[in-house]
Amino acid sequence: MKKRILILNGQYLPGYKGGGPIQSCVNMVQNLSDKFDFYVLTADRDYKATYPYEGIKVNDWNKVGEANVFYMSPDKQSLKDFKNIFKEIEFDTVYLNGFFSPIFTIKPLLLRMIGGFKNKTVILTPRGDFTGGCENKKVKKYTYIFCAKIIGLYKDILWHATSELEEKDIKKFFKNAKVFTVPNLATKYVPKREFLQKKTKKLHLIFISRIFPKKNLKYALEVLSNVKNGEITFDIYGPMEDLQYWHECEKVIKKIPNNITVNYKGEVTHSKVNSILSNYHALFFPTLGENYGHVIVEAMMNNCIPILSKGVTPWDDYDEDGILLENLSNKNGFKEIINNLTLMDNDSFEMLVTKNKKYLMKKINSEHDRLKYYTHL
């Protein structure tokens, strides 16, 4: 008989505005449903939406792919309602996503403290909540962590770190934490032969993520404002999560040189991400920190070469030649990466694509990683 895993996350399919954690959960179900039965508790609407998803049964179970999904309306997200659902399901493991999630992490942990469920394995993955980019919220975060430790809210849980960076972050705040470290699972990879043909002095770049300081779009635009050679198109996709930050980005866009065209393309559902990425040479993503970065892997899978920040994602080993990763302290280094890619001809670009494919075949969804999930879930 399969073990039953109860996943809690603020959003699930068909949502997409909640970013990477949605895809992390979807990919777990997709890759591990041969060994586990998955149940998902989630909100009945997308991040910051004011209305439920279309075509779902609210406050009831829905079959979504290989998972059974319960979409909770805002008025049914109380401790009492969680307790009723937990009683309904004979689950073995509770898998919580996001350290600071007030409804889908903190409430279940409070329920556990008052005896709402006992003798169950509780796994928590922070989903990047400890990584950089949120300095303006540091005081609130440290205060919450201090109070949570005093009451023992996170006592006797098993932590899932998706990278060595995240494991260090967990141990920084909870030095005695029991942690297992294994990467997120990606969408099943089918190698593609096709890639966007590369003409010398022409480059198609993409940024696809939430418009939010941590994702560092403004930095990318500042780098591009100093690139004077070639014709570059830079298309931006993603939900406008922080309007003030976007206004700062617009000020930089106004100063971009004429050889660079910048377009904001709006939000995009995850089902369209692969087809969009395949129309670009490179993903320019100088993020301040990612515990995984699904968009990075999805770019690789579509032969869209990622240009990344060093030391803040799990992908520092992606580029052995050191021509696609740079420290955030070195804007000029990023400018040179863009210049080199712009001047590159199709044969040289195809060599990058070939290296990219070899890396994916070695790195993504290895049997070793799957076995770690089988052991700990």
Side-chain angles (χ1 to χ4, degrees):
M1 184 177 177
K2 292 182 181 179
K3 289 178 72 173
R4 289 185 173 187
I5 313 298
L6 181 63
I7 297 174
L8 288 88
N9 193 49
Q11 284 76 42
Y12 196 71
L13 297 177
Y16 64 91
K17 294 182 181 181
I22 299 173
Q23 201 56 40
S24 298
C25 295
V26 171
N27 291 349
M28 183 187 296
V29 172
Q30 181 191 65
N31 282 278
L32 304 177
S33 57
D34 58 331
K35 297 287 186 182
F36 304 104
D37 286 330
F38 287 99
Y39 293 77
V40 180
L41 292 187
T42 189
D44 69 348
R45 61 201 64 193
D46 213 346
Y47 182 62
K48 292 190 176 181
T50 56
Y51 49 86
Y53 303 116
E54 293 183 3
I56 64 164
K57 293 182 290 183
V58 177
N59 298 321
D60 202 351
W61 292 102
N62 299 252
K63 190 69 174 177
V64 181
E66 296 295 325
N68 296 292
V69 183
F70 194 102
Y71 294 98
M72 305 176 77
S73 60
D75 62 315
K76 294 291 185 180
Q77 295 174 6
S78 67
L79 284 178
K80 179 181 176 181
D81 292 303
F82 274 107
K83 185 176 181 179
N84 289 337
I85 295 172
F86 278 38
K87 280 184 177 180
E88 180 184 339
I89 309 163
E90 286 294 327
F91 57 88
D92 299 285
T93 300
V94 182
Y95 187 90
L96 305 172
N97 292 268
F99 180 81
F100 295 106
S101 172
I103 297 172
F104 290 94
T105 294
I106 296 173
K107 280 190 177 180
L109 289 176
L110 287 170
L111 184 63
R112 182 183 70 145
M113 282 190 69
I114 61 176
F117 62 94
K118 297 178 180 179
N119 303 320
K120 307 293 183 185
T121 299
V122 178
I123 299 174
L124 171 60
T125 183
R127 295 291 178 221
D129 279 348
F130 294 143
T131 58
C134 297
E135 297 303 307
N136 58 325
K137 297 180 181 179
K138 184 179 280 189
V139 173
K140 287 184 179 180
K141 287 189 172 187
Y142 275 78
T143 301
Y144 168 73
I145 292 170
F146 177 76
C147 294
K149 289 167 89 170
I150 287 177
I151 67 172
L153 188 62
Y154 296 87
K155 184 180 179 182
D156 297 327
I157 66 169
L158 177 61
W159 297 79
H160 172 199
T162 55
S163 68
E164 291 182 3
L165 284 171
E166 190 166 58
E167 181 180 352
K168 288 178 182 177
D169 286 335
I170 292 168
K171 292 288 184 72
K172 175 182 174 183
F173 295 106
F174 297 87
K175 64 179 182 179
N176 297 319
K178 184 179 180 183
V179 185
F180 73 97
T181 302
V182 57
N184 282 320
L185 296 168
T187 304
K188 292 181 179 178
Y189 174 52
V190 179
K192 294 183 178 181
R193 294 183 61 187
E194 303 82 11
F195 63 92
L196 183 64
Q197 297 296 294
K198 178 70 179 64
K199 295 180 180 179
T200 305
K201 296 187 179 181
K202 290 192 175 184
L203 184 65
H204 292 272
L205 287 177
I206 185 173
F207 174 97
I208 182 165
S209 190
R210 295 176 293 150
I211 311 301
F212 186 73
K214 182 176 177 179
K215 305 303 179 180
N216 222 12
L217 172 62
K218 182 182 173 185
Y219 181 100
L221 291 165
E222 288 169 346
V223 170
L224 289 172
S225 67
N226 291 303
V227 178
K228 311 297 183 185
N229 299 320
E231 296 177 31
I232 299 173
T233 300
F234 185 47
D235 288 343
I236 300 163
Y237 293 82
M240 201 72 69
E241 190 169 314
D242 188 325
L243 283 175
Q244 179 57 44
Y245 182 72
W246 173 245
H247 293 326
E248 293 175 20
C249 292
E250 286 183 312
K251 291 178 183 178
V252 182
I253 292 171
K254 288 178 182 178
K255 299 176 182 178
I256 290 279
N258 293 332
N259 63 307
I260 297 171
T261 302
V262 179
N263 306 296
Y264 175 60
K265 295 282 193 172
E267 298 178 11
V268 58
T269 60
H270 188 264
S271 61
K272 296 179 181 178
V273 167
N274 287 328
S275 60
I276 289 171
L277 284 166
S278 64
N279 292 315
Y280 294 88
H281 297 117
L283 168 76
F284 190 12
F285 194 47
T287 176
L288 296 180
E290 302 293 323
N291 68 305
Y292 185 73
H294 283 283
V295 69
I296 298 170
V297 179
E298 287 160 349
M300 294 178 194
M301 289 180 170
N302 289 282
N303 295 326
C304 177
I305 306 301
I307 304 166
L308 303 173
S309 344
K310 277 185 184 177
V312 294
T313 80
W315 308 106
D316 278 2
D317 64 342
Y318 174 68
D319 178 26
E320 293 178 356
D321 299 322
I323 60 170
L324 296 167
L325 280 79
E326 187 52 84
N327 293 310
L328 287 169
S329 59
N330 188 7
K331 272 187 187 172
N332 191 60
F334 275 107
K335 184 188 82 170
E336 289 307 310
I337 291 172
I338 302 296
N339 271 329
N340 292 336
L341 280 175
T342 304
L343 296 173
M344 196 173 281
D345 62 16
N346 195 63
D347 288 343
S348 298
F349 186 72
E350 188 171 7
M351 290 174 64
L352 286 183
V353 171
T354 300
K355 287 183 179 180
N356 174 75
K357 290 178 182 177
K358 289 179 179 177
Y359 179 85
L360 277 171
M361 294 297 288
K362 175 182 69 175
K363 190 84 172 183
I364 303 300
N365 292 355
S366 69
E367 192 59 30
H368 176 262
D369 291 341
R370 287 167 60 87
L371 286 172
K372 278 195 173 183
Y373 278 96
Y374 294 155
T375 300
H376 292 288
L377 286 183

